[in-house]
Amino acid sequence: QYSNVVLNCVRMEIVMREVYVIGHKNPDTDSVCSAICYSRLKNLITGSEDYIPKRAGHLNEETQYVLEKCGVKPPAYIKDVRPQVRDIDVRKISGISEDLSVRNAWKLMKERGVETLPIIEDDKLKGLVTISDVAKSYFEMYDSDILSVSGTSLSNIVDTLKGEVITGDIDKHFNKGKMIIAAANPDMMENMIEEGDFVILGNRYESQLCAIEMEAGCLIICEGAKVSSTITKIAAQHNCVIISTAYDTYTVARLINQAIPVSFFMKQEALIKFKLNDFIEDIQDIMAKKRYRDFPIEDDTGRYVGMISRRNIIKTDKKKIILVDHNEKNQAVFGIEDTDILEIIDHHRLGCIQTITPVFFRNQPLGCTATIIYQMYCEHNIDIDKTTAALLCSAIISDTLILKSPTCTHYDVDACQVLADIAGIDIEEYGREMFRAGSNLSDKSEEEIFYRDYKKFSIGEITVGVGQVNCMSQEEIDELIKKEASYITSVTDKSDDINIAYLLLTDVMKETSYVMLSGKNAEQVLMQAFNIDEITNNYVILPGVVSRKKQFLPAIVEVLQQ
């Protein structure tokens, strides 16, 4: 019978095999489109939906334009990939009703091998009952009015005593009266019984009648004694419940406290509970300081999900990650060192990300990560649909500056042309539209502009931050130089981890970059890298320099290494 009051557990929808495909922080079009398209490729190869694209930063205007043009929803933003509660094997312990008897709570604990049960109401956690709470009902001394004080239900009493209701409402809860064993004669009973009392007695007709006439709330007839029709009728007239049980008087008196509902014992104040999105690192100290064995888990809406213990923390699964368009730790999403990196697909220089186990690492000197992914589609003989083609083509156009960048190879050109044909794109015209959308920065702050396409590079003990903004006119460049002049100085002045900062304002059509700078030795390094005699107005014009990866950064790195 107790199973009728056990509530169904709220199922936690977690795909334990999820793999996040994610690009670098401050994502550009290649980073985002490559994550989307590589996730699709992996799902098609594996016949699953386990590979999910993510992004490690906010989308810039160019990428937003591309996704809207292609009708593709942006990947979900994730700023931290450290293990979370949702990564633990949460025990899906079903919740119970607060009306469940202590006896049945104990039976459930034994069946499930647990020491804590959650009390649930409308899918929300109301309280907890532990094995020590159950022990109280067995070993602590209670007053004789404990059944009424705890609001024990008739159904709990019947279930606990394996009894049968002869007359009365089985849904009734008792809220007054004490327990009495009617061992005395009727004359003495008249002085003992009060209205609403629970009277435990045998088959003596006179004692039964006396208890009813004294307005007892419930008679418990022991040893399966038959109850006469006269007593049954009179009891019904007095609203007195009669329960018959096969147990003897001693056993009934011993078991009756086990009918008390768990609501009487449950803890419901200052509950220590966690959310699915809480980080393991943040909850470990809390769990260590408390002596509780199990802790309840809720989702973001406050719905009960399950329970975890300290032992579950040890078995925490790390998030599984595939990195695209980067391979350096300082460009990766926060917490990358606490993940299980499965693959890296990139076209940049080798960085410093370390992995515990060997990974699939594909790094090619091409103009765009999307070109590598296009090649992988071809290698697996997987058809590229129009949307995927548009995304990959957009990424190549963006990273190669409409195929004009020195990083652009004939592989990029060939891939871009094939993809443009599939997607129905005019490369030159569409590229100009993309860059116009990306260069509309009138409503952006100095900080947002500087970090919109920003990467950090470590060269020895020096960290260089390089931002880049693609522009379509000289007017845009002049305006940005005025806007960023004071801000770029603050990048190095207020940062403990950036020694030198550069901002490339690149005129896509003229294939020229205007480089702004700040930081100790920033001028000296730039002058030596590009054979410049003098820097005026806090910026340098570098004709023919449009690629941060292939033209600007290698020259800077060479000087710093020397």
Side-chain angles (χ1 to χ4, degrees):
Q1 182 181 357
Y2 75 88
S3 62
N4 292 331
V5 294
V6 178
L7 303 177
N8 290 328
C9 176
V10 180
R11 293 192 176 274
M12 180 172 56
E13 296 181 357
I14 294 180
V15 181
M16 298 310 295
R17 294 174 56 207
E18 276 186 356
V19 179
Y20 294 159
V21 182
I22 188 168
H24 51 75
K25 290 183 285 189
N26 304 304
D28 56 12
T29 300
D30 184 26
S31 174
V32 174
C33 292
S34 291
I36 296 171
C37 296
Y38 195 57
S39 297
R40 176 179 180 271
L41 176 63
K42 295 294 290 185
N43 285 328
L44 289 171
I45 292 172
T46 60
S48 70
E49 295 183 357
D50 298 333
Y51 296 85
I52 301 172
K54 297 284 185 178
R55 57 185 171 92
H58 300 295
L59 299 177
N60 62 41
E61 288 72 15
E62 177 189 293
T63 308
Q64 290 180 41
Y65 171 83
V66 168
L67 296 181
E68 290 173 5
K69 191 81 171 178
C70 297
V72 175
K73 185 178 179 181
Y77 171 52
I78 183 169
K79 65 179 181 179
D80 195 328
V81 290
R82 289 176 297 162
Q84 297 171 281
V85 172
R86 65 171 59 255
D87 300 315
I88 299 177
D89 184 15
V90 177
R91 300 182 69 182
K92 300 173 182 64
I93 300 174
S94 300
I96 62 173
S97 165
E98 63 179 337
D99 292 329
L100 189 70
S101 68
V102 172
R103 179 181 178 82
N104 284 330
W106 167 245
K107 289 170 66 177
L108 280 174
M109 287 179 182
K110 289 198 298 181
E111 288 176 8
R112 300 175 182 176
V114 299
E115 296 187 6
T116 305
L117 288 175
I119 289 89
I120 306 299
E121 184 176 57
D122 297 330
D123 293 340
K124 301 293 181 68
L125 183 70
K126 190 169 185 179
L128 296 172
V129 61
T130 66
I131 196 167
S132 62
D133 297 326
V134 173
K136 290 180 183 179
S137 68
Y138 285 83
F139 300 111
E140 288 197 3
M141 296 293 294
Y142 293 105
D143 293 335
S144 59
D145 61 352
I146 185 62
L147 292 184
S148 58
V149 170
S150 62
T152 304
S153 67
L154 174 61
S155 60
N156 276 6
I157 295 173
V158 173
D159 180 50
T160 301
L161 301 179
K162 296 182 180 179
E164 176 187 359
V165 178
I166 305 301
T167 185
D169 181 9
I170 196 171
D171 295 323
K172 181 178 179 180
H173 285 70
F174 294 104
N175 52 27
K176 69 176 181 178
K178 61 185 180 298
M179 287 186 290
I180 294 177
I181 298 177
N185 60 44
D187 291 338
M188 292 185 63
M189 287 174 58
E190 290 182 0
N191 296 322
M192 297 168 58
I193 299 175
E194 297 176 344
E195 182 181 353
D197 283 351
F198 301 77
V199 183
I200 304 171
L201 40 77
N203 63 349
R204 289 184 295 178
Y205 179 91
E206 296 83 359
S207 296
Q208 295 173 2
L209 181 61
C210 176
I212 294 171
E213 290 178 342
M214 298 306 296
E215 302 299 334
C218 178
L219 304 187
I220 300 176
I221 311 298
C222 301
E223 300 187 45
K226 289 188 177 182
V227 181
S228 70
S229 58
T230 302
I231 290 294
T232 301
K233 183 177 180 180
I234 296 173
Q237 293 172 349
H238 285 258
N239 293 320
C240 177
V241 177
I242 297 180
I243 299 173
S244 174
T245 177
Y247 292 132
D248 58 39
T249 304
Y250 168 76
T251 304
V252 170
R254 184 173 62 86
L255 291 177
I256 195 72
N257 281 0
Q258 297 178 28
I260 297 172
V262 293
S263 59
F264 184 71
F265 299 100
M266 73 177 182
K267 175 181 175 58
Q268 59 184 126
E269 300 294 333
L271 294 176
I272 298 176
K273 50 191 178 180
F274 304 117
K275 299 285 189 182
L276 284 174
N277 287 331
D278 286 342
F279 293 102
I280 302 301
E281 185 179 313
D282 298 335
I283 70 172
Q284 281 179 316
D285 290 342
I286 298 175
M287 296 178 72
K289 292 176 183 177
K290 300 299 178 181
R291 299 184 64 182
Y292 308 133
R293 176 165 177 168
D294 300 293
F295 298 83
I297 304 300
E298 297 176 334
D299 65 15
D300 292 337
T301 65
R303 288 160 54 95
Y304 167 75
V305 170
M307 307 284 286
I308 62 170
S309 65
R310 295 185 187 92
R311 183 171 54 189
N312 294 126
I313 297 292
I314 300 174
K315 300 179 180 179
T316 304
D317 288 330
K318 293 182 177 180
K319 287 185 172 66
K320 300 184 187 306
I321 303 290
I322 293 177
L323 301 180
V324 295
D325 199 33
H326 70 300
N327 71 90
E328 297 197 43
K329 180 181 175 181
N330 57 23
Q331 295 177 17
V333 62
F334 183 79
I336 193 66
E337 64 276 5
D338 294 321
T339 67
D340 185 6
I341 299 175
L342 304 182
E343 299 180 26
I344 302 174
I345 312 296
D346 192 21
H347 68 129
H348 294 95
R349 70 168 192 156
L350 298 185
C352 56
I353 282 184
Q354 295 182 345
T355 61
I356 297 176
T357 58
V359 302
F360 177 78
F361 188 3
R362 182 159 176 167
N363 186 283
Q364 294 176 241
L366 302 178
C368 184
T369 304
T371 302
I372 303 174
I373 294 172
Y374 163 76
Q375 292 177 350
M376 296 177 77
Y377 269 88
C378 296
E379 291 162 5
H380 287 88
N381 295 316
I382 293 177
D383 291 334
I384 300 177
D385 62 84
K386 186 175 182 178
T387 300
T388 302
L391 291 171
L392 292 173
C393 186
S394 299
I396 297 172
I397 291 172
S398 175
D399 252 26
T400 65
L401 301 179
I402 319 181
L403 308 179
K404 295 182 177 67
S405 170
T407 62
C408 185
T409 68
H410 70 89
Y411 296 106
D412 298 293
V413 175
D414 293 344
C416 192
Q417 290 174 344
V418 171
L419 293 166
D421 289 341
I422 296 173
I425 289 174
D426 181 297
I427 295 174
E428 187 73 26
E429 181 180 343
Y430 178 65
R432 290 173 179 271
E433 292 175 4
M434 283 174 50
F435 288 125
R436 279 195 209 96
S439 64
N440 183 15
L441 305 174
S442 57
D443 60 341
K444 300 297 179 183
S445 67
E446 292 89 341
E447 182 179 10
E448 289 173 325
I449 293 170
F450 183 83
Y451 288 105
R452 71 189 304 272
D453 184 6
Y454 171 83
K455 292 181 180 179
K456 286 197 302 184
F457 303 91
S458 296
I459 302 98
E461 296 181 356
I462 297 176
T463 301
V464 180
V466 184
Q468 185 170 23
V469 179
N470 292 327
C471 303
M472 296 298 289
S473 69
Q474 185 63 47
E475 289 75 13
E476 290 179 23
I477 291 174
D478 292 340
E479 185 65 31
L480 288 175
I481 289 174
K482 293 178 183 177
K483 198 168 187 176
E484 296 294 317
S486 60
Y487 178 77
I488 193 170
T489 304
S490 69
V491 173
T492 50
D493 289 348
K494 298 180 180 179
S495 175
D496 295 328
D497 63 342
I498 298 295
N499 307 112
I500 296 174
Y502 295 112
L503 175 61
L504 277 66
L505 305 176
T506 302
D507 189 325
V508 176
M509 305 313 297
K510 293 182 180 179
E511 300 183 32
T512 298
S513 288
Y514 293 68
V515 183
M516 304 182 71
L517 62 149
S518 74
K520 185 179 180 181
N521 298 324
E523 287 190 12
Q524 181 182 347
V525 171
L526 188 63
M527 290 170 65
Q528 188 173 342
F530 293 96
N531 296 316
I532 299 170
D533 296 328
E534 184 181 5
I535 295 178
T536 58
N537 300 322
N538 202 36
Y539 70 87
V540 172
I541 302 175
L542 299 180
V545 175
V546 294
S547 172
R548 171 174 51 191
K549 180 184 72 172
K550 193 166 184 177
Q551 294 174 301
F552 185 78
L553 185 63
I556 298 295
V557 170
E558 183 178 357
V559 172
L560 290 174
Q561 287 178 337
Q562 292 173 357

